Amino acid sequence: MSSISIVGLGNMAQALAGRALAGGNTVEILGRDQAKAQEVAAALGGATVGTAGEIPAGDIVILAVPYAGAVAVVKEYGDALRGKTIVDVTNPVTPDQQGFVVPADSSGAQEIAEAAPDDAHVVKAFNTVFSHVVAAGSAEGRPVDVFIAGHDAQAKTRVSAFVESLGLRPWDTGDLFMARALENVGLLELGLMSHSVKHTDFSLNVTLLR
């Protein structure tokens, strides 16, 4: 199983932490509000609490924070992230959901990779799954699909194994430049939520025809 540090205290952080613990992983909770971090860890049962800005205990560090603060968090940790696999779950969409706040030739994950130490490996994952869908783990008896992208094959293998430990199904979509496509999928889901589905109790899955 994996050693996971989760930066963030919101719904996605808690959903990932809960499934990670159930899957036998070790989980560290990190947040600037130490009292809130202690509260989240106590509610989960089995998670530890680290100190924001110091070296995370986990080999995999999940950025479960809004994109607006993600790059700043990576810069704050700096060399403490050396050698880590960093999982970016963000969707860098504009407030009106009409586009992205990152350059047209980039992605949130690529901007995070630029801010990370050279020997850290960023993997895009979980941005196409709503937090309560992660918490549920399956839909109509089939595992929820998690699309991933990243430069480093070993880091993607590590993240894929973690995804499987959650009872979810990983799909490798290619190099980190594919994060832009995954962020467009995230925007697509927000459009579905706003204009047709009208709720967030859904996920996009791959159906193999042969």
Side-chain angles (χ1 to χ4, degrees), residues 51-154:
T51 302
E54 296 187 359
I55 297 176
D59 296 323
I60 297 175
V61 179
I62 300 176
L63 296 178
V65 297
Y67 177 73
V71 172
V73 166
V74 170
K75 289 180 177 179
E76 177 186 346
Y77 278 88
D79 285 344
L81 295 175
R82 293 186 65 86
K84 303 290 187 181
T85 296
I86 302 170
V87 177
D88 166 36
V89 310
T90 68
N91 279 309
V93 300
T94 57
D96 62 3
Q97 299 181 12
Q98 298 299 303
F100 298 97
V101 297
V102 294
D105 60 349
S106 186
S107 66
Q110 289 168 289
E111 297 297 303
I112 287 168
E114 284 289 324
D118 290 341
D119 62 350
H121 302 292
V122 174
V123 175
K124 190 78 179 184
F126 299 106
N127 74 296
T128 61
V129 190
F130 295 106
S131 61
H132 65 283
V133 176
V134 170
S138 64
E140 296 183 343
R142 61 181 294 180
V144 169
D145 285 344
V146 176
F147 304 108
I148 68 174
H151 285 313
D152 188 80
Q154 186 175 6

